[in-house]
Amino acid sequence: MWRVRRELAVFKILGALACAGLAVYWWIGGDHRGVILAVPGAVLLGGMGLRDLLVPVRLAADESGITVVHGFAGHRHVPWDEIRDVTVDVRRRWGRRSEMLEIDTGDHLHLFSPHELGASPTEVAAALRRRGT
């Protein structure tokens, strides 16, 4: 079972509260351009933090297959025989290395970042390959 670290959810919620506070401050001060920037930031960060609190487990594996988050807070079970490929997309850009876990089921491509898994996508892919065989 791989999940979002609780600290990330807390930081997102705190960021949303900070943006909301700035929006109120700028509204009272009459700076409506600042409000236009702060309100969408508060909504976006709040929604992301809420999702992390409601559905912290992004990927789980058992004997019958994997369960992935589908949509905002739904779950979808995928049997092992429907999984076509498990790969890790590694990219280097501006001196930084990034990894994304890709699970191809034919009709869907499920993507997971290290932040969503709370672990390295390479390690998760290896664990899934061991478990699926």
Side-chain angles (χ1 to χ4, degrees):
M1 181 164 50
W2 295 277
R3 61 187 316 129
V4 174
R5 290 186 9 229
R6 186 164 291 153
E7 299 87 23
L8 289 176
V10 170
F11 284 134
K12 290 175 187 176
I13 297 294
L14 290 175
L17 292 173
C19 286
L22 282 172
V24 170
Y25 175 76
W26 285 328
W27 180 264
I28 292 170
D31 183 7
H32 299 293
R33 286 179 286 187
V35 174
I36 291 171
L37 291 174
V39 169
V43 171
L44 181 66
L45 281 172
M48 290 169 48
L50 181 64
R51 181 179 190 219
D52 290 350
L53 291 177
L54 292 176
V55 189
V57 176
R58 297 290 202 253
L59 174 65
D62 59 18
E63 298 79 31
S64 64
I66 62 170
T67 304
V68 296
V69 171
H70 189 72
F72 184 78
H75 290 89
R76 180 172 182 250
H77 183 76
V78 181
W80 288 115
D81 59 349
E82 289 184 20
I83 297 174
R84 291 187 178 176
D85 198 15
V86 176
T87 58
V88 178
D89 181 32
V90 178
R91 295 182 186 239
R92 295 182 189 279
R93 188 170 188 189
W94 296 331
R96 296 199 55 197
R97 181 178 188 267
S98 66
E99 295 181 339
M100 291 288 286
L101 176 66
E102 298 179 353
I103 301 174
D104 184 8
T105 62
D107 57 345
H108 290 92
L109 181 63
H110 303 281
L111 302 171
F112 300 96
S113 71
H115 302 295
E116 288 181 300
L117 298 170
S120 167
T122 303
E123 295 170 6
V124 175
L128 290 175
R129 288 185 194 117
R130 282 192 306 270
R131 188 150 220 183
T133 57

